[in-house]
Amino acid sequence: MIITYKIMGLTIHYKGELKNASDLKSLIDTVKDVAKAEKWDYFVFEEQFENNSFSEIIDKENLFGIMISPPKCDPFCISFLSNGKMSGIINFNVMQKEGEINEDLIYAVFSKTQYSGYENHKKLILLLDHISIKYLKSFECIDEGYYWETRDEDLLKKTFEKYTNLIDSFTSSIEMITINEGENLEDYLTRMAEITNKNLK
């Protein structure tokens, strides 16, 4: 599982709830201002909850909030379901497609920043920090770059380098290490990961 995460690239995972339904527009404006200042693309979903309040029954047709897109970064969603809980566009689309709500998945928002670079990663963490204090409750963040927990920029840079080296090594391994006759795909990937990790030490 660790290998899977590393191969997919360094990612920020987060979840939380909006404190007050009436704060949505102010939160959107805050994030929009940052996106404009950084020249990042953004897209605004619905800007106001019905009756300016949360609903117990989740509206499966509308997502509320904003999505920003730094260069070479997955969409970074500061968005919510009608019950006020954070949910990203990917989660929302899966819910619409499946027609049911999986609570273990619907509230787990993530964005891969690997190819956007450590500076954009840092800016996104600082943005999350600001809005989580001002607008959110029950907020949790797992930062694979460790900047959320430490605010250590050197550690963030080193972690980005480590992930980049691992991805490069894995790519090289795919090109150089051939699958053995009779070897199934799982065994091949396990062998390749072991060689990659050994070469990185």
Side-chain angles (χ1 to χ4, degrees):
M1 181 60 85
I2 293 173
I3 291 169
T4 302
Y5 272 115
K6 287 184 177 179
I7 291 169
M8 73 176 281
L10 197 148
T11 303
I12 300 171
H13 308 263
Y14 52 101
K15 61 181 180 178
E17 301 177 45
L18 197 58
K19 289 178 185 175
N20 304 297
S22 58
D23 286 340
L24 181 63
K25 182 66 168 61
S26 177
L27 182 152
I28 290 171
D29 288 342
T30 297
V31 177
K32 192 191 300 182
D33 286 345
V34 171
K36 286 179 178 178
E38 295 293 337
K39 296 182 171 55
W40 294 341
D41 292 335
Y42 65 90
F43 178 83
V44 177
F45 302 110
E46 297 298 318
E47 293 186 88
Q48 185 175 344
F49 294 102
E50 187 174 353
N51 299 320
N52 222 17
S53 60
F54 302 132
S55 63
E56 289 186 16
I57 298 174
I58 293 174
D59 177 357
K60 294 182 182 178
E61 299 301 318
N62 293 301
L63 193 60
F64 303 81
I66 185 170
M67 175 176 71
I68 57 179
S69 299
K72 299 181 181 179
C73 182
D74 283 355
F76 196 84
C77 293
I78 309 296
S79 50
F80 309 84
L81 297 176
S82 59
N83 62 0
K85 293 185 178 183
M86 294 188 92
S87 185
I89 186 66
I90 295 172
N91 316 65
F92 186 71
N93 287 342
V94 169
M95 177 187 71
Q96 286 193 316
K97 185 176 180 181
E98 295 182 350
E100 60 183 38
I101 298 167
N102 183 331
E103 294 203 0
D104 291 330
L105 300 176
I106 192 69
Y107 304 123
V109 190
F110 63 90
S111 180
K112 182 170 67 177
T113 61
Q114 177 69 47
Y115 301 108
S116 191
Y118 79 90
E119 290 183 352
N120 283 338
H121 182 102
K122 174 184 173 182
K123 290 172 184 175
L124 290 172
I125 289 293
L126 294 176
L127 174 61
L128 274 181
D129 191 26
H130 173 70
I131 64 169
S132 67
I133 292 169
K134 189 170 183 180
Y135 297 108
L136 306 178
K137 64 180 181 179
S138 304
F139 184 77
E140 297 176 27
C141 178
I142 299 174
D143 174 12
E144 292 180 2
Y146 305 110
Y147 190 72
W148 173 265
E149 298 88 348
T150 66
R151 296 300 193 269
D152 186 334
E153 191 165 332
D154 287 336
L155 177 59
L156 178 62
K157 289 179 186 177
K158 289 175 183 175
T159 306
F160 259 85
E161 289 171 4
K162 182 178 178 182
Y163 272 67
T164 300
N165 291 338
L166 187 58
I167 290 169
D168 290 346
S169 294
F170 190 79
T171 302
S172 297
S173 296
I174 291 173
E175 296 169 354
M176 296 174 62
I177 303 170
T178 58
I179 191 165
N180 295 328
E181 187 177 345
E183 186 176 32
N184 65 40
L185 183 59
E186 184 178 348
D187 289 341
Y188 167 63
L189 290 173
T190 300
R191 180 167 61 87
M192 187 165 53
E194 287 172 352
I195 293 170
T196 301
N197 285 334
K198 184 178 179 181
N199 290 339
L200 284 174
K201 290 179 181 178

